[in-house]
Amino acid sequence: MTLNHIRRGNGSPLLLVHGLGAGWRSWAPILDQLAEHREVIAVDLPGFGETPALAGEVSITTLTDSVADFIREQGLDGVSTAGQSMGGRIVLELARRGVGGDAVALDPGGFWSHRELAVFGATLRPSIALVRALRGMLPALLGNPVGRTLLLAQLSARPWALSPETVLPDVRGLADSPSTGAAMNALTKGPKQQGAPAGTVPGRVTIGWGRRDLVTVPRQASRATELFPDAVLHWFERCGHFPQWDAADEATRLILDGTH
């Protein structure tokens, strides 16, 4: 299938891959800033945004296949990539396969211990069920600092400080995307992320991690850099799982500096 996508800006191409949530709109807080310097191509993964769900198995492998196919179909060989959460895992998997160029992964999944993975599934699944149950009330709940704090404490270090316009698309995406459940299964029941030996990735690799991430907890960063020894690790000090929410300017600089 062809992934739904948007293109903005001019310059060397930069492919953005989202995590669970709103599809390409997950990048809205930093999209315009990135497009001032690059031609930004932001995709909807299968079953998110406006891309239909996969007909067969939903796994990190098949989702990555869809992005690799898109890169080939669009003539984007060697394209720089950036991804967050599940999207961060996908861009690392692309790099491991030798697909693309420079890669920036923000708080990527796939590096949990067995216990951390159990906690991740046991906490995020009820959160997804809750936002689905509250679907019609989300604008009102996210429209005030108390509601944002109650709903988003697992995802943001400072949910009260965020605007409703920043968070509503991703929260709605968790509730509405047809592949949310299948992608959660892929993350929690599928294999962990494999690494790439030194000197085997096609470009630079940068991994950004929030010090206050409660989804992919900070201790996982050391496992990621062990598996990707060519990677440079950057810490977002006052940041949770979504750097584009909590540290938008810093995330923009990291992506621009880590790609060409």
Side-chain angles (χ1 to χ4, degrees), residues 27-83:
W27 296 102
I30 63 174
L31 193 61
D32 289 341
Q33 295 95 307
L34 292 172
E36 290 177 4
H37 306 274
R38 303 288 169 79
E39 180 190 17
V40 176
I41 304 121
V43 298
D44 287 338
L45 291 169
F48 295 89
E50 296 178 34
T51 300
L54 293 170
E57 176 191 29
V58 176
S59 66
I60 298 302
T61 296
T62 58
L63 292 172
T64 306
D65 290 343
S66 72
V67 180
D69 290 344
F70 177 83
I71 290 172
R72 185 182 64 254
E73 292 164 1
Q74 298 290 318
L76 292 170
D77 293 345
V79 69
S80 294
T81 61

Side-chain angles (χ1 to χ4, degrees), residues 244-257:
Q244 65 266 44
W245 289 2
D246 289 347
D249 290 342
E250 188 178 356
T252 300
R253 289 195 304 271
L254 185 69
I255 293 171
L256 293 175
D257 290 345

Side-chain angles (χ1 to χ4, degrees), residues 2-260:
T2 298
L3 302 182
N4 180 64
H5 62 283
I6 59 101
R7 289 179 181 252
R8 291 186 187 170
N10 297 288
S12 58
L14 171 66
L15 180 66
L16 302 181
V17 185
H18 63 85
L20 295 177
W24 72 260
R25 289 176 175 82
S26 183
W27 296 102
I30 63 174
L31 193 61
D32 289 341
Q33 295 95 307
L34 292 172
E36 290 177 4
H37 306 274
R38 303 288 169 79
E39 180 190 17
V40 176
I41 304 121
V43 298
D44 287 338
L45 291 169
F48 295 89
E50 296 178 34
T51 300
L54 293 170
E57 176 191 29
V58 176
S59 66
I60 298 302
T61 296
T62 58
L63 292 172
T64 306
D65 290 343
S66 72
V67 180
D69 290 344
F70 177 83
I71 290 172
R72 185 182 64 254
E73 292 164 1
Q74 298 290 318
L76 292 170
D77 293 345
V79 69
S80 294
T81 61
Q84 183 262 336
S85 191
M86 181 175 71
R89 180 171 180 182
I90 287 171
V91 301
L92 290 177
E93 175 61 15
L94 289 169
R96 189 189 71 83
R97 296 183 185 187
V99 177
D102 295 337
V104 178
L106 307 178
D107 298 84
F111 301 100
W112 296 280
S113 68
H114 292 301
R115 186 174 185 278
E116 290 162 356
L117 187 58
V119 171
F120 166 71
T123 55
L124 194 56
R125 287 183 192 279
S127 297
I128 292 171
L130 178 63
V131 297
R132 284 175 172 164
L134 298 173
R135 175 66 175 79
M137 301 171 61
L138 289 176
L141 289 171
L142 295 174
N144 67 82
V146 174
R148 287 195 299 280
T149 300
L150 291 173
L151 284 177
L152 303 178
Q154 187 179 8
L155 301 179
S156 170
R158 295 175 295 144
W160 58 87
L162 302 173
S163 72
E165 294 77 20
T166 293
V167 300
L168 186 57
D170 273 304
V171 179
R172 276 180 169 162
L174 283 175
D176 295 343
S177 298
S179 287
T180 294
M184 273 292 296
N185 287 338
L187 290 167
T188 57
K189 299 178 181 179
K192 295 178 184 178
Q193 179 61 45
Q194 298 179 55
T200 63
V201 293
R204 293 176 295 165
V205 175
T206 304
I207 298 176
W209 222 290
R211 291 277 191 191
R212 303 184 187 181
D213 190 339
L214 300 180
V215 178
T216 53
V217 293
R219 69 175 67 95
Q220 294 169 24
S222 62
R223 299 177 200 139
T225 53
E226 286 174 9
L227 287 169
F228 288 85
D230 289 328
V232 173
L233 177 63
H234 174 86
W235 288 108
F236 295 98
E237 294 297 332
R238 297 186 64 198
C239 184
H241 190 59
F242 281 78
Q244 65 266 44
W245 289 2
D246 289 347
D249 290 342
E250 188 178 356
T252 300
R253 289 195 304 271
L254 185 69
I255 293 171
L256 293 175
D257 290 345
T259 58
H260 72 278

